[in-house]
Amino acid sequence: MDRLQVLLKHVSPRNGHLAGKHSMANEIASPTSDSDVVVVHGVRTPIGRAKRGVFKDIMPDELLSHVMVAILKATGLPASKLGDICVGNVLQPGAGALMARIAQINSGIPEAVPIYCVNRQCSSGLQACMNIAGGIRNGSYDIGLACGVESMSHRSKADPRSIGDISAGAFHQDATRDCLLPMGITSENVAEQFGVSREKQDAFALASHQKAARATRLHLFQEEIVPMQSSGMLVEEDEGIRPNTTLEKLAHIPPAFKENGTTTAGNSSQLSDGAAAVLLARRGTASALGLPILGVLRSFAVLGVPPAVMGIGPAYAIPAALKKCGLSMDDIDIFEVNEAFASQAVYCAEKLGIPPHKLNPNGGAIALGHPLGCTGTRQVVSLLHELRRRKSR
Amino acid sequence: MSEFHTEASHGYSVQFSPFLPQRLACVACQHYGIAGSGSLFILDISTHGLKQVTRRSWGDGLFDVAWSETSERLVLTASGDGRLQLWDVTQPGPPLQVYQGHEREVYSVHWSQTRGENLVASGSWDGSAKVWDISSSECLFTCRGHEAVVYSSMWSPHIPGCFATCSGDGTLRVWDIKNPSFARLVIPAHTSEVLSCDWCKYDEHLVLTGAVDCSVRGWDLRQARHHVFELRGHDYAIRRLKCSPFQRSVLATCSYDRSVRFWDFVQANPLVQTIEHHSEFVCGLDFNLHIQGQMADCAWDETVRVYQPACLAPAQAQ
């Protein structure tokens, strides 16, 4: 009596409720198409402190290989299905093209799968995701892997050789000279130019540590962190978080870049080692292979800003990305904005009017660390796992 | 008020003719639609009440009815054996055409509302909606995506080739026949089964849903993350809802709580009238397009009623 059962459900609301098994609840009210670019899964290593931390003796290819192996294992995807791999990296020579290929082959990914690297500074790892998404969208392939990796134990931004070979033309204009400014000075510029006080920066840094400490305590990173062996011990948690820091402690740290400045080691991101990986696919392919869908790429935008205040990029790129997909700030439940420095993160949040509870809910680079090439990929990983936990978008 | 007794048949759906102001069609089933045959009643409203013009029967239950928008003689029915029937109400005998394709009960059928199209949308317990070309008797598209039975399929009165479906999976989906392989919109509308949906006749972006959770929700398709309003008052599942063809914010609902309710969703107290003139589940409901304020409904108590609820009386000139 099938019909009777269907009708009985109508008159017995308790039986009719679908709560819990409602598989569409997460699906956002937007058009879905087989050609959408979706994120299948994302993982990362714990983030270690550079030079004296848990991964000080680990090479970047080892970090990278660790997340490559982990994401393929977690999704059960045969490596031969990958159409391309893009790796974000900043400090390795040539953005680590050689290192990445070695990591790939050591991960058991067939030689026939190509790999390349990209450097867009702090957002290299994010750019890697968008490059793979672009390849899927233009039909070059249906599935690709985006990664980000950095070992700041082994390479330093401060190394003068990292500037490269530049002509005297670098000194012809203010803007080109500004390109050579140390990052910390650009942070001082942002703080000065836009009036972001030391107190605001320290309070922001404190919040980042508190949010990250809470997330670690509640094991919220369990789904994204793949524990890694290093020097005989298993590293499971991010190393840079200081759960016990206070405003007083932060206030005592001297300025790091400029006399009477406001940017300190406490309210800047940390030098770190880490890697992250994100598997992207065409929705139709993901469905056909039975892969889960963690998120959908709706829009992406990049914009340049004056080199002297380089950290304010998100304040310009976020509205541009929203405009492209016809969404407003209110439609967005969580913003991941990089915390290279508290100054630029505070400025971006204030300029855009991001409510504190929507911004980097589990901390950012100030607390977790900032392995340059890895961070953008790490943000996608952290963002999508948190969105899924909150059932928001 | 006039009433008609659908002897030994339990009413499932009524619709006024878009051509003749006095005519309506009603489908009803033996044994509450759980087993047995179905009947199509064509009724005329006269000074002596509701008169049967003709009655047709089908071997399985008939669950929904839709008048043709192109000919006053044609009417479509949806049946429990997965078929649609096209009837010429002026000719006796079997249906002119039977459309086969659904694998389970067809629970809804609706004729397209925009000019230049002769399309029909049907929704079935097989989880799919189908679009049919009545003139060529072909199934043009099968729309898949719902994860449970489809209860209703309604064409947009504004956007050609666009229709909405609702389902036991709790979602409202909007389809465009230009690309029928996936839903243009998937709206998780209720956490219970959604039994009915309809388009506002005055706002092309507004779709209303009625569900087992006893609520009606309004959805702005441009911004469908949250419902724009919610109406509560029924005590049991809402079986069908229809938007007024005359007033932008007025709608009617009928329910398993045996009542028919009228709502004006812009009012502070949106429930404007409750009518309890049936003794069983009320399943069918329609506004007369020609006579403002006239309603018809049908219920499992074997009666079809045509009436003028006080709340729909045209405003008196001041």
Side-chain angles (χ1 to χ4, degrees):
Chain A
M1 292 299 268
D2 206 353
R3 280 187 201 167
L4 183 58
Q5 275 147 23
V6 171
L7 292 166
L8 281 175
K9 280 195 297 180
H10 298 173
V11 286
S12 164
R14 270 175 314 236
N15 298 342
H17 278 282
L18 301 169
K21 70 166 204 179
H22 198 271
S23 63
M24 297 311 296
N26 274 341
E27 186 134 353
I28 46 179
S30 5
T32 64
S33 153
D34 276 354
S35 56
D36 285 343
V37 177
V38 300
V39 173
V40 171
H41 192 42
V43 297
R44 66 179 180 95
T45 65
I47 297 171
R49 291 190 197 182
K51 299 195 198 305
R52 56 203 163 84
V54 286
F55 296 139
K56 68 180 164 53
D57 299 320
I58 300 277
M59 291 298 164
D61 62 286
E62 296 173 284
L63 293 167
L64 182 58
S65 185
H66 188 66
V67 290
M68 285 176 162
V69 169
I71 199 161
L72 291 172
K73 191 173 164 213
T75 54
L77 181 79
S80 58
K81 296 242 183 234
L82 292 173
D84 200 1
I85 306 174
C86 182
V87 180
N89 181 268
V90 178
L91 298 180
Q92 288 292 309
L98 176 67
M99 172 275 297
R101 184 67 168 165
I102 288 167
Q104 171 203 343
I105 293 168
N106 278 339
S107 304
I109 300 174
E111 293 161 20
V113 177
I115 190 165
Y116 73 110
C117 293
V118 61
N119 178 3
R120 198 193 274 283
Q121 307 291 13
C122 300
S123 52
S124 300
L126 185 59
Q127 187 60 50
C129 296
M130 295 313 134
N131 284 12
I132 292 298
I136 293 170
R137 193 166 277 171
N138 72 28
S140 300
Y141 41 85
D142 291 330
I143 304 184
L145 186 61
C147 303
V149 62
E150 205 71 67
S151 170
M152 298 175 84
S153 289
H154 295 99
R155 293 264 161 179
S156 164
K157 196 90 182 153
D159 186 340
R161 281 170 304 174
S162 74
I163 290 173
D165 311 312
I166 295 164
S167 77
F171 298 93
H172 286 177
Q173 295 187 45
D174 287 348
T176 54
R177 236 189 324 266
D178 289 347
C179 294
L180 302 172
L181 287 175
M183 293 289 163
I185 297 299
T186 70
S187 166
E188 292 291 358
N189 290 345
V190 171
E192 222 172 278
Q193 203 168 322
F194 303 109
V196 184
S197 68
R198 168 78 188 259
E199 290 69 32
K200 266 191 190 169
Q201 294 178 48
D202 284 351
F204 186 89
L206 178 68
S208 183
H209 280 287
Q210 287 173 343
K211 288 185 282 189
R214 174 187 164 275
T216 304
R217 201 170 60 239
L218 299 177
H219 304 293
L220 298 187
F221 294 135
Q222 212 164 27
E223 288 144 326
E224 61 186 69
I225 289 183
V226 191
M228 186 172 177
Q229 286 284 347
S230 173
S231 317
M233 63 168 185
L234 187 66
V235 184
E236 292 176 286
E237 288 181 358
D238 301 312
E239 201 185 9
I241 307 165
R242 299 188 199 95
N244 300 319
T245 195
T246 61
L247 268 186
E248 291 72 44
K249 284 182 191 166
L250 287 167
H252 280 106
I253 304 172
F257 301 97
K258 191 172 146 182
E259 229 177 302
N260 301 322
T262 56
T263 300
T264 71
N267 60 34
S268 307
S269 59
Q270 307 175 28
L271 305 181
S272 317
D273 306 330
V278 164
L279 186 65
L280 296 119
R282 234 170 59 82
R283 186 194 287 274
T285 308
S287 307
L289 291 171
L291 295 170
I293 291 173
L294 193 56
V296 186
L297 175 67
R298 289 292 171 212
S299 171
F300 176 64
V302 283
L303 268 170
V305 294
V309 289
M310 61 89 205
I312 64 171
Y316 291 82
I318 288 173
L322 288 174
K323 193 175 172 205
K324 280 184 162 181
C325 57
L327 293 172
S328 72
M329 291 292 291
D330 289 339
D331 294 321
I332 307 301
D333 294 327
I334 301 180
F335 292 84
E336 276 283 340
V337 176
N338 189 29
E339 303 173 356
F341 299 97
S343 61
Q344 52 80 219
V346 168
Y347 170 77
C348 292
E350 288 184 354
K351 175 91 195 285
L352 295 171
I354 302 175
H357 68 277
K358 286 189 176 182
L359 179 65
N360 303 349
N362 296 326
I366 290 173
L368 301 173
H370 187 10
L372 304 174
C374 160
T375 292
T377 319
R378 198 276 305 158
Q379 288 179 291
V380 173
V381 173
S382 302
L383 171 69
L384 291 178
H385 282 287
E386 182 62 18
L387 284 172
R388 196 195 35 157
R389 261 191 298 276
R390 295 187 181 192
K391 300 198 188 333
S392 47
R393 67 174 188 176
Chain B
M1 178 174 31
S2 342
E3 67 174 71
F4 179 83
H5 192 61
T6 55
E7 211 182 322
S9 284
H10 304 102
Y12 261 80
S13 184
V14 283
Q15 197 191 19
F16 281 104
S17 162
F19 293 97
L20 304 171
Q22 81 285 2
R23 182 155 292 182
L24 64 150
C26 171
V27 284
C29 302
Q30 272 187 318
H31 310 300
Y32 307 99
I34 291 160
S37 64
S39 292
L40 166 68
F41 297 88
I42 303 297
L43 307 173
D44 269 357
I45 307 157
S46 72
T47 46
H48 308 294
L50 280 168
K51 292 278 180 249
Q52 179 177 310
V53 178
T54 183
R55 175 181 178 165
R56 305 299 164 82
S57 54
W58 185 252
D60 206 322
L62 294 177
F63 296 130
D64 202 10
V65 62
W67 284 100
S68 163
E69 297 285 336
T70 54
S71 163
E72 64 184 53
R73 297 156 59 146
L74 300 179
V75 68
L76 269 165
T77 53
S79 62
D81 54 8
R83 298 186 170 106
L84 301 176
Q85 299 78 26
L86 181 68
W87 308 86
D88 182 337
V89 300
T90 62
Q91 287 177 18
L96 292 178
Q97 188 72 251
V98 176
Y99 305 87
Q100 197 166 349
H102 282 299
E103 285 153 25
R104 290 195 57 191
E105 289 81 348
V106 188
Y107 225 52
S108 71
V109 60
H110 195 221
W111 204 288
S112 57
Q113 301 287 300
T114 42
R115 275 171 203 279
E117 284 170 342
N118 227 3
L119 301 177
V120 163
S122 59
S124 163
W125 287 8
D126 66 12
S128 75
K130 285 180 183 282
V131 176
W132 308 80
D133 183 346
I134 286 306
S135 44
S136 70
S137 46
E138 245 185 293
C139 172
L140 298 178
F141 314 112
T142 301
C143 301
R144 293 182 205 280
H146 277 298
E147 292 169 289
V149 302
V150 176
Y151 287 115
S152 180
S153 50
M154 297 296 279
W155 290 99
S156 163
H158 300 278
I159 310 160
C162 175
F163 68 99
T165 55
C166 61
S167 156
D169 68 8
T171 64
L172 169 73
R173 295 181 195 227
V174 180
W175 309 82
D176 179 350
I177 58 164
K178 288 198 279 296
N179 197 345
S181 54
F182 60 91
R184 288 290 294 270
L185 277 175
V186 179
I187 300 171
H190 297 262
T191 52
S192 67
E193 294 197 88
V194 187
L195 303 186
S196 185
C197 59
D198 196 16
W199 297 79
C200 175
K201 311 300 181 239
Y202 293 86
D203 180 347
E204 65 175 17
H205 303 295
L206 186 62
V207 177
L208 280 66
T209 52
V212 171
D213 65 10
C214 309
S215 73
V216 170
R217 287 176 177 175
W219 302 92
D220 183 331
L221 300 183
R222 294 164 298 182
Q223 193 69 279
R225 273 200 78 203
H226 298 290
H227 47 83
V228 287
F229 58 82
E230 183 180 69
L231 308 174
R232 289 192 169 272
H234 278 295
D235 300 320
Y236 274 96
I238 293 166
R239 178 62 179 76
R240 200 179 293 271
L241 77 84
K242 287 268 172 82
C243 294
S244 165
F246 297 100
Q247 287 162 287
R248 167 185 283 266
S249 56
V250 170
L251 62 138
T253 52
C254 62
S255 159
Y256 284 87
D257 69 7
R258 296 177 275 189
S259 73
V260 175
R261 293 177 202 239
F262 293 87
W263 313 78
D264 185 341
F265 61 76
V266 296
Q267 302 285 339
N269 294 313
L271 177 59
V272 290
Q273 194 177 351
T274 301
I275 290 180
E276 294 178 292
H277 58 198
H278 286 289
S279 57
E280 278 291 353
F281 303 154
V282 190
C283 293
L285 179 72
D286 199 25
F287 287 85
N288 191 331
L289 288 167
H290 304 276
I291 302 170
Q292 184 169 0
Q294 188 175 74
M295 296 297 302
D297 58 37
C298 66
W300 281 15
D301 60 6
E302 306 177 14
T303 48
V304 180
R305 288 175 196 273
V306 174
Y307 55 104
Q308 301 261 359
C311 67
L312 295 186
Q316 299 297 315
Q318 295 291 316

